[in-house]
Amino acid sequence: PKHVIVDPIFEFDGDSARVESTFLFLNQAPGEMPKVIAWGRYLDHFRREAGAWRIASRLCETEAVGT
């Protein structure tokens, strides 16, 4: 399985940031093309601490799940 994050939108405010992005989970059976098995979006809040950005919180909004 693969976890892909695309189209992040960042909003910075000093040492904090809000990020909205789309996620996809893909699965590939042997000999087949990968299939999207779930997608949705992440609503993340980041904080900069000691010069490093860390995820402070994450809300996962799943839009669809396949088989």
Side-chain angles (χ1 to χ4, degrees), residues 15-53:
D15 287 334
S16 66
R18 293 170 46 101
V19 183
E20 181 178 329
S21 55
T22 301
F23 72 83
L24 304 164
F25 283 100
L26 299 112
N27 198 19
Q28 184 176 13
E32 293 185 13
M33 294 293 293
K35 294 180 182 177
V36 175
I37 58 172
W39 69 87
R41 67 183 186 149
Y42 289 134
L43 302 172
D44 295 329
H45 179 239
F46 284 77
R47 286 209 179 271
R48 182 168 39 196
E49 298 174 359
W53 287 97

